[in-house]
Amino acid sequence: MFAVLLMDDMDPFYQNIASFPTVFFTFFLLVVVLFWLVAVLGLVEIDLLDFDIPTIDGMELNPDSGLSNANVLAGVMLRFGLHGIPVTIIISFVALFGWFISYYVVHFLFGIVPDGLLTYLAGVPVLLGSLYVSVMITSVIIKPLRPLFKKASQETVKRTLGQSAVVRTLRVDSEFGEAVLEDGGAGLILKVRAMGNVTFEKGDRVVLLEHDKENNIYKVISEQEFKGQ
């Protein structure tokens, strides 16, 4: 699909973003943009990729430790300082910074690299280096954001229980769903779950009844049921 962008008469910008190794980050950046568009429409949960990151203490990242792949990945992210904020935001930052770094390295340096096999041989270290640097930049940027996310989460729980929210996803059931709580600003997007076999549709009003701290989700019931109607 990127072949057209590599034609001689195409703008150098398009050639660069479709050339190895930048094309790797171009692909993931497009996926990230698509994800956020779909999330805004309420088709998926914003924190779709989030998972608990255990502490380093007690973790042994070796083949005999019995850890799952998810735990190993979580441990690696913890070691690089990629924790404390939603994983989707972390991935977005890494993809964006990696794309910029790779693009400008290719733009300024690959003109002296002969076409063919040497381009790919030179592209591998650029790819790995761009990925590493983007991870380090992301780690530095999100460090001051972690306390803000933690504080916001704690304050949100205190003032949201018993409040009414509006379903923003196509549905809310026992396994999926998000709702928006009007807070006088842009609104808070919360992960919610229906109790029992009830299913709510987009636009339905629900009441935040319980908070599951471990999974950071709210159990909800209909506004009519809450009011006893």
Side-chain angles (χ1 to χ4, degrees), residues 12 22 68 99 160 164 181 199:
T22 310
S68 66
W99 184 87
T160 54
S164 295
L181 175 67
T199 299

Side-chain angles (χ1 to χ4, degrees), residues 124-182:
V124 172
V126 171
L127 171 62
L128 297 178
S130 299
L131 183 60
Y132 178 80
V133 174
S134 65
V135 167
M136 292 297 98
I137 294 175
T138 300
S139 177
V140 172
I141 287 179
I142 69 174
K143 186 175 182 179
L145 299 179
R146 286 198 288 267
L148 299 179
F149 273 86
K150 183 177 181 180
K151 182 179 180 181
S153 177
Q154 293 173 342
E155 292 180 349
T156 297
V157 173
K158 292 180 181 179
R159 71 173 189 267
T160 54
L161 292 180
Q163 299 293 317
S164 295
V166 178
V167 175
R168 70 176 294 271
T169 47
L170 294 181
R171 75 178 197 281
V172 166
D173 54 28
S174 60
E175 298 180 351
F176 175 85
E178 289 180 339
V180 178
L181 175 67
E182 296 298 334

Side-chain angles (χ1 to χ4, degrees), residues 25 29 89-104 130-131 133-139 141-142:
F25 293 103
L29 193 58
I89 295 179
I90 293 174
I91 293 176
S92 299
F93 276 140
V94 171
L96 180 62
F97 293 133
W99 184 87
F100 272 110
I101 295 169
S102 179
Y103 173 83
Y104 282 106
S130 299
L131 183 60
V133 174
S134 65
V135 167
M136 292 297 98
I137 294 175
T138 300
S139 177
I141 287 179
I142 69 174

Side-chain angles (χ1 to χ4, degrees), residues 10-129:
M10 293 299 295
D11 188 287
F13 170 78
Y14 295 109
Q15 293 188 45
N16 288 341
I17 65 174
S19 300
F20 184 79
T22 310
V23 66
F24 173 85
F25 293 103
T26 299
F27 172 76
F28 280 100
L29 193 58
L30 289 174
V31 171
V32 166
V33 171
L34 179 61
F35 168 81
W36 284 110
L37 290 175
V38 173
V40 168
L41 295 175
L43 300 179
V44 298
E45 295 178 338
I46 291 179
D47 55 357
L48 175 67
L49 302 178
D50 280 2
F51 52 87
D52 292 332
I53 298 181
T55 59
I56 289 180
D57 297 335
M59 288 191 65
E60 298 179 18
L61 299 180
N62 59 68
D64 300 323
S65 64
L67 293 173
S68 66
N69 292 335
N71 282 336
V72 172
L73 176 60
V76 172
M77 292 181 66
L78 188 63
R79 290 181 185 276
F80 280 101
L82 302 179
H83 62 92
I85 70 172
V87 175
T88 46
I89 295 179
I90 293 174
I91 293 176
S92 299
F93 276 140
V94 171
L96 180 62
F97 293 133
W99 184 87
F100 272 110
I101 295 169
S102 179
Y103 173 83
Y104 282 106
V105 169
V106 170
H107 180 73
F108 289 110
L109 299 181
F110 269 43
I112 61 176
V113 178
D115 293 334
L117 181 60
L118 288 178
T119 300
Y120 291 94
L121 292 177
V124 172
V126 171
L127 171 62
L128 297 178

